[in-house]
Amino acid sequence: MFHFPLSINSDPSWFKPSYPQLKKRRKLNKTHCHLYNHSMSPVPITPIMVGHIVDVQELRRSKPMKIPTRFVRAMEERPTLETVAMPPPCEVPVVDLSKLMSGTKEVSNAEISQLAAACQEWGFFQVVNHSIDLGLLERIEDMAKDFFMLPLEEKQKYPMAPGTVQGYGQAFVFSEDQKLDWCNMFALGIEPKFIRDPKLWPKSPPEFSELVETYSMEVRKLCQSLLKYISTSLGLRGNVFEEMFGVAVQAIRMNYYPPCARPDLVLGLSPHSDGSALTVLQQGKGSSVGLQILKDNKWVPVHPIPNAFVINIGDTIEVLTNGKYKSVEHRAVTHKEKDRLSIVTFYAPSYDVELGPMAEFVDKSNPCKYRRYNHGEYSKHYVTNKLQGKKALEFAKVQIENLS
Ligand code: OGA
Ligand code: NI
């Protein structure tokens, strides 16, 4: 969901609002806030009325007899809980990074083919043997859990203002009648440094910032390495995406899904594709199964493999490959008794990058499906609209005119 982008535009002041702006936004937090125009003029352009957003963990604690209507989904949106019984091969594919990196051509080529199939047919895969220290994964998971278990007042020291996507709260809420996700989030912009809002980085526990920093550096290297293999799997030069992306934008979001008495009525996270190039998701150990992806029009659960990351193709790669590798729609569902934690990294091009389908993927039989656009503009579009399947990508779709 967060999709990814944290930012509203490539103007750094969006991320780092001046203190008076921030104060004003915080004051408006409870009921409404304003979006600012592209030049970050202090003049509000569109008021957003989001109503009072109740904190899902607090709600869970109060054990209401009924799920509040703001969380109850329309019939057609409700999750089918008996997940599709797919035969075993119909599981999200697994890619072994150590094989991709293997010195033996045969081994690495075979794994590249696996990767190509995973990206083309699923848009999702789990990566094993990624060589990131497992102790680090455990530490960030414990720390994220501890953060969500803090008293509400403590977490609210880092508020996510409506219409923004960094801090603690619910992102992508733009109206009072919009359904809410059964989820609490805490998100931070990581790279480049100008997207950081230091006021939103928790002071306690003291090792929080250092751990997020170390983890993010490791995941950044993983993204760069995966992108290299993804471009190879497309028959492109290994460094083509890195060169194109400039200083990549990176964000982290921790999602905490408390148990829900009526998982059949609510969604943990609304269906969406990610606005990133690549997303790396770590699922908490012992978490319930919660992530589902839309495959052949059915919601398929992603069963966590211990110590693996779930990787998915984001909208940027779909555009660059003219739809060869698609960003697949996904959502999260909740569980009656178990909570769930995910730690998600979004990796995307620099905001000033212009992109569109690469010439290699466009010909007579594959006409160009997307226009060229500025990635900062796309990010802005993404974060200023509610999550709604793959709707955000319509921004870039070429209108096929019916000339008849
Ligand atoms: C996301 C996302 C799924 C999950 O944060 O973009 O898709 O399982 N999360 O938390
Ligand atoms: Ni997502």
Side-chain angles (χ1 to χ4, degrees):
M1 110 156 318
F2 183 85
H3 296 310
F4 145 79
L6 301 176
S7 76
I8 289 293
N9 61 31
S10 44
D11 177 348
S13 56
W14 171 261
F15 307 100
K16 281 184 157 191
S18 68
Y19 189 59
Q21 282 168 351
L22 198 76
K23 242 171 86 184
K24 189 166 164 195
R25 281 196 214 162
R26 286 199 179 147
K27 219 165 115 201
L28 295 165
N29 197 7
K30 274 261 158 58
T31 48
H32 68 288
C33 82
H34 295 90
L35 284 181
Y36 289 78
N37 67 19
H38 203 140
S39 60
M40 248 342 256
S41 141
V43 184
I45 46 168
T46 326
I48 320 174
M49 312 293 286
V50 296
H52 177 62
I53 299 181
V54 338
D55 184 273
V56 186
Q57 281 169 270
E58 298 304 307
L59 181 61
R60 164 80 189 167
R61 227 189 298 281
S62 70
K63 295 232 158 62
M65 298 300 285
K66 263 182 69 201
I67 304 288
T69 48
R70 244 187 128 180
F71 291 89
V72 177
R73 298 286 168 153
M75 269 318 179
E76 64 280 8
E77 277 191 332
R78 293 183 190 177
T80 33
L81 288 177
E82 54 313 337
T83 43
V84 229
M86 294 274 233
C90 271
E91 281 276 342
V92 168
V94 175
V95 169
D96 185 334
L97 188 68
S98 68
K99 287 188 182 164
L100 287 173
M101 298 173 86
S102 154
T104 322
K105 268 265 160 288
E106 253 167 54
V107 175
S108 63
N109 286 349
E111 206 61 14
I112 290 273
S113 309
Q114 290 276 103
L115 175 66
C119 293
Q120 198 160 351
E121 288 154 33
W122 288 82
F124 266 82
F125 56 92
Q126 302 208 48
V127 67
V128 296
N129 296 325
H130 45 68
S131 78
I132 298 183
D133 172 27
L134 300 181
L136 181 60
L137 306 195
E138 204 167 309
R139 286 200 295 284
I140 192 135
E141 181 184 325
D142 290 346
M143 196 189 65
K145 259 192 233 147
D146 291 349
F147 176 82
F148 284 108
M149 294 312 135
L150 289 172
L152 182 62
E153 313 81 75
E154 197 54 41
K155 294 182 278 187
Q156 282 181 336
K157 290 183 179 161
Y158 317 102
M160 182 188 290
T164 71
V165 283
Q166 295 199 53
Y168 176 77
Q170 281 223 11
F172 304 99
V173 184
F174 296 97
S175 72
E176 279 181 79
D177 51 10
Q178 185 181 331
K179 293 295 178 190
L180 297 177
D181 290 333
W182 194 268
C183 177
N184 284 336
M185 296 174 169
F186 181 63
L188 294 172
I190 306 285
E191 294 291 345
K193 304 258 181 324
F194 74 76
I195 70 170
R196 295 188 184 191
D197 184 344
K199 288 182 283 320
L200 297 178
W201 287 61
K203 307 280 172 304
S204 85
E207 63 278 15
F208 193 104
S209 302
E210 203 184 302
L211 199 48
V212 165
E213 194 91 64
T214 311
Y215 178 83
S216 296
M217 236 158 54
E218 290 298 310
V219 175
R220 191 171 182 89
K221 283 188 261 172
L222 177 66
C223 289
Q224 289 163 349
S225 166
L226 287 171
L227 279 170
K228 192 175 85 185
Y229 294 113
I230 289 173
S231 56
T232 309
S233 79
L234 287 160
L236 304 169
R237 275 184 305 113
N239 51 0
V240 68
F241 294 134
E242 276 312 296
E243 281 174 13
M244 192 185 295
F245 288 4
V247 180
V249 173
Q250 184 178 347
I252 190 168
R253 192 173 55 230
M254 303 168 186
N255 302 315
Y256 179 71
Y257 306 95
C260 178
R262 292 296 305 271
D264 54 328
L265 301 181
V266 310
L267 285 176
L269 188 56
S270 302
H272 65 279
S273 65
D274 292 342
S276 51
L278 209 59
T279 301
V280 175
L281 179 143
Q282 177 183 341
Q283 313 215 46
K285 279 211 184 68
S287 290
S288 59
V289 176
L291 174 61
Q292 299 183 336
I293 72 176
L294 194 59
K295 165 98 173 129
D296 304 326
N297 237 7
K298 292 194 182 73
W299 289 103
V300 178
V302 179
H303 294 107
I305 299 176
N307 304 324
F309 287 110
V310 178
I311 311 291
N312 64 287
I313 297 289
D315 294 343
T316 302
I317 298 288
E318 171 164 337
V319 169
L320 290 172
T321 63
N322 198 26
K324 185 172 168 121
Y325 287 179
K326 291 195 177 58
S327 62
V328 165
E329 195 171 327
H330 52 284
R331 68 181 185 185
V333 297
T334 61
H335 191 278
K336 214 169 158 87
E337 283 111 28
K338 289 194 198 161
D339 59 357
R340 179 165 173 269
L341 174 77
S342 64
I343 301 170
V344 190
T345 297
F346 302 96
Y347 186 87
S350 165
Y351 291 120
D352 49 17
V353 166
E354 299 279 324
L355 48 91
M358 297 169 72
E360 289 86 338
F361 302 102
V362 179
D363 60 28
K364 273 226 177 68
S365 55
N366 295 298
C368 190
K369 298 191 187 74
Y370 310 93
R371 63 183 175 87
R372 282 189 77 75
Y373 58 85
N374 163 270
H375 181 70
E377 288 290 323
Y378 185 62
S379 292
K380 175 182 167 187
H381 169 77
Y382 193 100
V383 300
T384 49
N385 283 281
K386 68 174 178 174
L387 297 177
Q388 230 181 328
K390 292 200 59 170
K391 194 152 180 282
L393 201 51
E394 280 170 26
F395 171 95
K397 288 246 165 83
V398 170
Q399 300 299 320
I400 312 277
E401 307 233 332
N402 186 349
L403 298 173
S404 64

